[in-house]
Amino acid sequence: TQEKMIQIRERKASSGATIEGLKKRKDDLLERVETELNLNENNILEFSNLNQIENLPDTVTQEEELDEKKRKREKLGSVNLRADEETSKYEIEIKRMEHDRQDLATAIIKLKESINELNQRGREKLLEAFEKVNRKFNEVYTKLFSGGNAKLELVDADDPLEAGLEMLVSPPGKRLQSITLLSGGEQALTALALIFAVFLTNPSPICVLDEVDAPLDDANVARFCNLLDELTKITSTRFIIVTHHALTMSKMDRLYGVTMPEKGISQLVAVDLQKAEDMVA
């Protein structure tokens, strides 16, 4: 009996030493888990894949999975301790940008409304001016050509602001056609008719015409000068004509020219034709 008691005491001592070793191993493992994973004995199973599993996996497999998760965590890099501060700063900046975006969207809407309003008023003004110029164009063209008809048409677009302009004219004895089908002199005279039509809708104090009679023959120059004479009577505009055509010069009230009495010396010459006629008379 004493021998059995001795054996039991030895086994008890051995078992106690084993238990103490296991407790020490457990404490070391819990300390390692807490240090590396920030987990304690109470929630370690909650964050593991071993909860409610009857047969636990072998240690080697678990070690491999743990090492893999550690490598993935290391790839994430170091922890940014200023993340909260930077997040707050970016949130404020994002809110400011969203507010600016809303202001910009509101401004764009108002700008589009203003553009649409301006375009609408522009269309009305353009059509109103177009009708006036169109009427004057036909009147001036008829006077210059001693008959015929002329009109303007908006082409290539339904929107007047985007449309092109086509001149359709019918000289005396000819059918209605585009200006491109006329002769050079007829085209020049038609262009003058359009210029004067625009001018008559909004006359200015001074009108300068530079060599506009150059492509015209004598008959058309006479028509051009007669039209100028009528314009001086119905408007208060002073016309300044730059020309080399003798017939045009003869129809003017005053002539201003440059002569060179001596080589290298220019001299301005002015002649009042009305006074000259009186002197001749």
Side-chain angles (χ1 to χ4, degrees):
T1 300
Q2 289 179 350
E3 288 177 356
K4 289 181 179 180
M5 289 177 63
I6 292 171
Q7 292 176 358
I8 292 172
R9 288 191 185 97
E10 289 177 352
R11 289 198 299 272
K12 178 181 179 182
S14 176
S15 298
T18 302
I19 291 173
E20 287 296 328
L22 290 175
K23 285 184 178 180
K24 183 68 171 60
R25 175 63 175 163
K26 174 186 175 183
D27 292 339
D28 293 341
L29 290 173
L30 288 176
E31 183 179 358
R32 178 185 171 190
V33 168
E34 185 174 2
T35 302
E36 297 182 3
L37 304 178
N38 197 23
L39 298 175
N40 54 43
E41 186 176 0
N42 298 324
N43 62 2
I44 188 172
L45 287 178
E46 181 181 350
F47 291 93
S48 71
N49 59 351
L50 306 176
N51 198 12
Q52 298 179 352
I53 294 180
E54 295 182 358
N55 298 322
L56 296 177
D58 61 283
T59 306
V60 177
T61 303
Q62 290 302 103
E63 287 288 346
E64 291 177 353
E65 291 184 4
L66 181 60
D67 292 339
E68 178 65 22
K69 292 184 181 296
K70 285 181 179 180
R71 285 193 295 270
K72 289 182 178 180
R73 187 182 66 179
E74 290 175 355
K75 289 181 180 180
L76 296 176
S78 59
V79 177
N80 185 4
L81 301 179
R82 299 184 57 189
D84 290 340
E85 180 181 348
E86 292 179 357
T87 301
S88 300
K89 182 182 72 174
Y90 289 134
E91 286 178 350
I92 295 173
E93 186 174 352
I94 290 172
K95 289 180 179 179
R96 180 180 60 79
M97 293 174 66
E98 289 178 347
H99 183 268
D100 293 342
R101 180 180 179 276
Q102 184 62 35
D103 291 343
L104 183 59
T106 304
I108 290 174
I109 293 174
K110 291 182 178 179
L111 182 60
K112 288 183 177 179
E113 292 176 352
S114 300
I115 291 174
N116 292 333
E117 183 180 354
L118 288 175
N119 286 341
Q120 182 61 32
R121 292 178 61 186
R123 292 184 186 96
E124 294 173 358
K125 293 288 186 182
L126 177 61
L127 291 176
E128 181 182 353
F130 176 77
E131 292 299 327
K132 291 180 180 179
V133 172
N134 201 5
R135 288 195 299 270
K136 291 292 183 182
F137 178 52
N138 185 57
E139 294 175 6
V140 176
Y141 182 87
T142 303
K143 289 180 180 180
L144 282 175
F145 282 84
S146 300
N149 292 292
K151 66 177 181 178
L152 302 173
E153 285 188 355
L154 297 174
V155 295
D156 298 334
D158 295 331
D159 187 355
L161 298 178
E162 302 292 336
L165 186 66
E166 180 74 18
M167 287 188 287
L168 298 176
V169 296
S170 175
K174 296 183 180 180
R175 62 182 178 82
L176 193 67
Q177 55 190 334
S178 173
I179 187 176
T180 57
L181 301 177
L182 300 177
S183 64
E186 289 174 332
Q187 287 185 8
L189 210 58
T190 302
L192 283 174
L194 179 59
I195 291 173
F196 284 125
V198 176
F199 175 78
L200 287 173
T201 58
N202 187 21
S204 61
I206 297 177
C207 178
V208 180
L209 300 174
D210 187 1
E211 299 287 356
V212 297
D213 55 352
L216 304 179
D217 56 20
D218 290 346
N220 287 331
V221 169
R223 294 173 182 173
F224 165 66
C225 293
N226 292 334
L227 178 62
L228 282 180
D229 188 52
E230 291 185 19
L231 293 177
T232 56
K233 294 177 181 178
I234 63 177
T235 66
S236 59
T237 302
R238 294 298 182 92
F239 289 93
I240 300 175
I241 313 299
V242 181
T243 181
H244 288 84
H245 203 291
L247 183 56
T248 305
M249 295 181 193
S250 66
K251 298 290 186 179
M252 299 296 104
D253 296 329
R254 285 186 177 86
L255 290 180
Y256 295 91
V258 178
T259 183
M260 188 178 293
E262 299 179 16
K263 186 175 181 181
I265 300 176
S266 298
Q267 182 179 353
L268 181 64
V269 178
V271 179
D272 188 331
L273 294 185
Q274 186 63 44
K275 290 182 178 179
E277 289 179 0
D278 293 340
M279 290 175 63
V280 171

